[in-house]
Amino acid sequence: MVNTYVGVGSDGVTAVPKRRDGILIDVCARGVSVGVLRTDAASATSKHHTRVVVSGNANAGMIIDGAHATVERVYVGVAADGVTPVPNGGHGLELDTHGYNVQIGPGTIISGNRGSGILIASRVANSTSVMLDGCLIGLVDPSGTSVFLDSVTQSTGPSLLTSLADRFAAVGNFEHGIALAPSAGRVPITITNTLIGGNLKLGIYPDTSTTARNLDGTSKNYPNTKPLLGNDR
């Protein structure tokens, strides 16, 4: 799926909501790509990125219930300018029962949604892996999204993110940045070149059941009481 607005009009800003979820990747769908078009399925380098906006919908922005999905340069909960909030009524992106081995990013913004930015549902198998790279969750780049996207492609790690962090504005999700439902199990989440901040609750919840990669590449269990980059709790 490329060059698509779901839940907003042709101007990329005005909400024209679907009555339910914006996008559903069903259980029978495998290897779906949103925001990236591969010219050669066998080559990871032959990719063309385009803009997909999934905002303003009544429920979740996206539900992924199919394996091996890839989401790149997709705006969930904000307008096509990457700044203006156009919230989805539920979570930004929800991983359901069969949504395993999912890659999110680079250049994806999940902000402003009335639920959590990303929800990993309790029905997801413990073998699920989630990889986030080059994402903003609860934050936007008010100076222009190209600053963030161009920087991520040249990123050398946390030093670059630290130098850019003060340029980002909070358009937080109304709940957590990333939330795992209570019985989701121990889901391995790898997070690189990603900023989580400005959300109304925790950056990652519950941290005691989450093993994440910190920005410096080290493995870290985030305690429940520790916010990430200015989350409110």
Side-chain angles (χ1 to χ4, degrees):
M1 176 182 292
V2 296
N3 292 328
T4 302
Y5 292 169
V6 181
V8 295
S10 58
D11 61 0
V13 177
T14 304
V16 185
K18 293 183 65 179
R19 293 183 179 180
R20 301 194 65 182
D21 308 303
I23 295 174
L24 169 63
I25 299 176
D26 199 53
V27 61
C28 297
R30 297 175 63 89
V32 174
S33 295
V34 181
V36 57
L37 175 65
R38 296 181 185 274
T39 57
D40 178 2
S43 174
T45 59
S46 56
K47 299 192 297 185
H48 298 286
H49 290 95
T50 60
R51 172 66 58 235
V52 174
V53 178
V54 187
S55 303
N57 299 288
N59 293 340
M62 297 178 61
I63 294 180
I64 299 178
D65 197 17
H68 308 294
T70 301
V71 176
E72 296 186 9
R73 297 200 178 195
V74 176
Y75 292 173
V76 184
V78 295
D81 60 8
V83 177
T84 305
V86 187
N88 293 293
H91 304 295
L93 190 154
E94 180 176 336
L95 303 184
D96 215 327
T97 306
H98 302 93
Y100 57 87
N101 296 333
V102 174
Q103 299 183 40
I104 304 170
T108 292
I109 298 175
I110 304 176
S111 300
N113 300 286
R114 298 195 179 278
S116 294
I118 299 174
L119 173 68
I120 301 176
S122 60
R123 300 174 296 279
V124 173
N126 287 350
S127 60
T128 295
S129 65
V130 181
M131 298 180 64
L132 283 83
D133 178 57
C135 298
L136 295 177
I137 301 178
L139 298 166
V140 298
D141 180 2
S143 63
T145 57
S146 61
V147 174
F148 173 65
L149 297 180
D150 293 344
S151 299
V152 166
T153 61
Q154 304 170 22
S155 175
T156 57
S159 59
L160 180 133
L161 286 174
T162 301
S163 66
L164 289 177
D166 59 357
R167 303 180 67 164
F168 296 137
V171 181
N173 297 289
F174 281 41
E175 296 184 10
H176 307 292
I178 302 173
L180 283 81
S183 57
R186 194 172 182 84
V187 177
I189 303 176
T190 301
I191 303 175
T192 56
N193 302 321
T194 289
L195 291 177
I196 304 172
N199 302 288
L200 297 186
K201 295 186 179 179
L202 289 174
I204 300 177
Y205 172 85
D207 305 315
T208 54
S209 66
T210 305
T211 300
R213 292 285 179 179
N214 202 7
L215 294 179
D216 61 1
T218 60
S219 180
K220 181 175 183 179
N221 286 323
Y222 294 101
N224 282 334
T225 55
K226 182 174 182 179
L228 303 181
L229 301 174
N231 300 287
D232 280 359
R233 299 184 186 176

